[in-house]
Each structure stands twice: as structure tokens, then as C-alpha cells.
Amino acid sequence: MSSDQARATVQSLVDLAVAQLPHAYDGEKNWKRTKKIWAGVRIRRDGVQLKTHRRWRDVRQGLQTRYHIQFPGERSAPRPVNATVRSVTPTEGGPEQHAGWMIECDLATPLDFSARIERWNLGVQWYSVEVRGHAKIRLTLSGRLSSYPDYSVLPPAIVIDPNVTSASLHLDELHVDRISKVGGEVAEKWGEMAEKIVNEVLIDDINEKLHAKLNKAIDKKRDDLRFSASDWMSALTAMDQ
């Protein structure tokens, strides 16, 4: 298989994977995080003795965010993801790896988002706002794709083995459509702060664990990446009949 043929094949696999993406995703960072603080001393009498007991309580503390991200349009609509396979390079196998292809690709998409942002200081809420808007994000992805026969069954099954080697999410554009409970200069200031919050709370938080999360998601689908030759031939026979 030539590099162009491999790139076309991988492009088809990426397009198929994009079609399986969930319409929406909910997440949070530090939501309802608490800090233990001293809440005084309880004094009680035990006979002629006075006994004391320190009391503590948990209070909410810090910047806390809960967010909802979704593709624009109806849930049943095609995902508006522009996926481009930039390169597919053959690689040799080794003692623990099969020969395969190193793949580099970019995925870009618009997203709608809403986020509840709260600031707490030792149980006192300084502010709570909801930000709604839309953004364009871009995912740069590198990985390795190999396949090999599984001879534990006859005829042997074909196993597809993908592995993400690096992944990075980038915020290309961000537009704030609405900010609740604020107006005037405060709303304008929040509009300026929104991009910083999205980068620090969402993008940086996701990027910190993105590589591991993608490989973990792949591991959950390993059974779907194993193709039985006998099932495939049975399906062809049924079609002929």
C-alpha cells in the first residue's frame, strides 16, 4: 500500500470515528470543592472537669466551574468536524510492536458552550455568573496504527491496534453571546475574561489528561477493533444467498 492509499484509508477511518462522536459533553473543574476551617470549640462538663473539643466545618473555596459543550445544530445532524489527515508514514515493527503507520492529523470544529463560574472565599460567594457562547477549537493529533492477525482462532481474526502518541487542543476563536446577571462595563469585562477562563479552566485542564483519556477511550473499544474473518465470510455467504 502506497502512502497516498494509506492516507486515504486512514481518512476514511477518521471520518467514521467522527460520526460516532457524542453530541454533547458535560464536565466540571473544582466544582463544590471545599476547605476545612476551624469552627470554634465545644465545651462540656464531665463531672467536675471541663472538656473541650475543637470543631471544624467544610466550606466552599476557590474558583469553581461547571460547563456544557455541544456541537451546534440538532443532535441527529452530521458532526461539523473538519478532519484532515496530514501524513501517514510506514514504520517497522519491533519485539513488542507490529509494523504499522505513524499518523498526523488535525480536527477542527465549531462548538456551543455554557459555563457556570463561581468564586468562593471561605464559604462566602463572591460572584456567580453563567457565560454562553460559541467557539472554534482545533485538535492536533499524532498516533500509531497497526494491524495483525490473531491466530488464536481459525480462520484468524484481524486486530486493529491504534495508539495515540500526542494530542493537543487549541482554542482558535471564542465569542461570548450572553452573560447572566451582569451588564454594562462588567459584562464587557467578563467578555474579555471569558477567553482566559476557557483556556485556563477548559483547554488546559483537558490537555493535561487528553493523551491518556484518548488511549483509555480506545481501550474501551478494543473488542470493536477485532474483526472476525469467519463472521465476515458468513456475512458474504448470506448476501450471496
Side-chain angles (χ1 to χ4, degrees), residues 20-63:
Q20 303 300 317
L21 291 174
H23 177 71
Y25 175 78
D26 293 286
E28 59 187 44
K29 182 174 184 181
N30 298 329
W31 189 252
K32 293 187 177 180
R33 183 181 65 180
T34 61
K35 181 178 181 179
K36 182 175 291 188
I37 63 172
W38 183 54
V41 178
R42 184 177 64 186
I43 302 175
R44 65 183 179 88
R45 182 181 295 277
D46 185 6
V48 296
Q49 293 182 335
L50 291 178
K51 294 188 175 182
T52 62
H53 176 71
R54 290 184 179 182
R55 295 187 298 174
W56 303 85
R57 63 189 178 98
D58 293 325
V59 297
R60 293 181 67 172
Q61 172 69 14
L63 182 66

Side-chain angles (χ1 to χ4, degrees), residues 55-207:
R55 295 187 298 174
W56 303 85
R57 63 189 178 98
D58 293 325
V59 297
R60 293 181 67 172
Q61 172 69 14
L63 182 66
Q64 306 184 12
T65 307
R66 183 168 58 185
Y67 53 89
H68 174 84
I69 303 171
Q70 68 177 43
F71 289 111
E74 298 295 329
R75 183 178 295 272
S76 59
R79 305 296 183 245
V81 179
N82 182 17
T84 303
V85 177
R86 290 186 282 110
S87 67
V88 179
T89 306
T91 62
E92 297 181 356
E96 298 181 357
Q97 284 186 326
H98 298 272
W101 302 86
M102 290 300 299
I103 302 166
E104 295 183 355
C105 64
D106 294 323
L107 299 94
T109 184
L111 289 173
D112 295 335
F113 72 90
S114 62
R116 169 68 62 179
I117 304 168
E118 299 181 355
R119 168 69 76 173
W120 293 81
N121 183 34
L122 299 180
V124 179
Q125 187 182 79
W126 285 16
Y127 58 77
S128 174
V129 297
E130 183 177 353
V131 180
R132 294 180 179 270
H134 56 279
K136 289 184 178 180
I137 64 169
R138 174 173 43 88
L139 174 64
T140 300
L141 188 69
S142 296
R144 192 177 190 278
L145 179 66
S146 61
S147 62
Y148 58 91
D150 178 8
Y151 293 106
S152 63
V153 294
L154 292 176
I158 301 299
V159 178
I160 307 298
D161 184 19
N163 182 267
V164 177
T165 56
S166 67
S168 180
L169 195 64
H170 309 273
L171 179 66
D172 289 339
E173 295 182 20
L174 182 133
H175 301 279
V176 175
D177 299 327
R178 180 178 178 273
I179 303 173
S180 66
K181 300 181 181 179
V182 296
E185 294 182 359
V186 177
E188 183 178 350
K189 183 176 181 61
W190 267 102
E192 296 172 355
M193 292 175 61
E195 183 171 353
K196 180 180 179 181
I197 292 174
V198 170
N199 270 308
E200 291 183 355
V201 176
L202 304 186
I203 303 298
D204 290 350
D205 185 49
I206 292 173
N207 275 334

